[in-house]
Amino acid sequence: MKIRPLHDRVLVKREEEERKTAAGIVLPDSASEKPNRGEIIAAGPGKSNDKGEVRAIGVKVGDKVLFSQYAGTKVKVEDDELLMMGEDDILAVIED
């Protein structure tokens, strides 16, 4: 299934959560914190202004991003759990 976000929304695949602490202790699912980093899988064209012109969004597919902890809506696509969020929920692009 292919998903194309509308307007200024993006589809993000969250990074895998760390199941071990630095000391080697394995954490159960309920104790581990969801990471707030991910990769953009799909992006909309941008948001329209009052004149009907589309302002392109500042991220693109493949960008690694940092987003707020409770951002987005969970979406299940095939067997992956992804996040659909607006561009405003993205805090920064992570550059290597």
Side-chain angles (χ1 to χ4, degrees):
M1 170 173 32
K2 255 190 129 147
I3 292 183
R4 182 176 51 94
L6 299 176
H7 308 295
D8 66 337
R9 291 188 175 78
V10 294
L11 194 60
V12 177
K13 182 173 185 175
R14 192 186 298 254
E15 281 186 357
E16 293 296 319
E17 34 191 301
E18 187 63 41
R19 303 247 183 213
K20 279 187 181 180
T21 65
I25 298 171
V26 178
L27 298 172
D29 288 339
S30 60
S32 61
E33 197 172 294
K34 296 272 188 199
N36 56 350
R37 304 170 96 174
E39 179 180 352
I40 295 186
I41 304 298
K47 198 170 195 171
S48 298
N49 62 17
D50 295 337
K51 298 177 184 176
E53 302 164 338
V54 176
R55 183 189 61 83
I57 61 175
V59 294
K60 62 187 180 305
V61 174
D63 280 351
K64 305 273 187 205
V65 293
L66 182 67
F67 49 87
S68 55
Q69 189 67 31
Y70 300 103
T73 302
K74 292 179 185 175
V75 178
K76 188 125 179 152
V77 178
E78 293 166 1
D79 289 331
D80 292 330
E81 188 174 287
L82 306 173
L83 289 172
M84 181 71 73
M85 65 181 71
E87 182 185 18
D88 292 342
D89 292 327
I90 297 173
L91 304 174
V93 175
I94 301 169
E95 298 178 353
D96 292 341

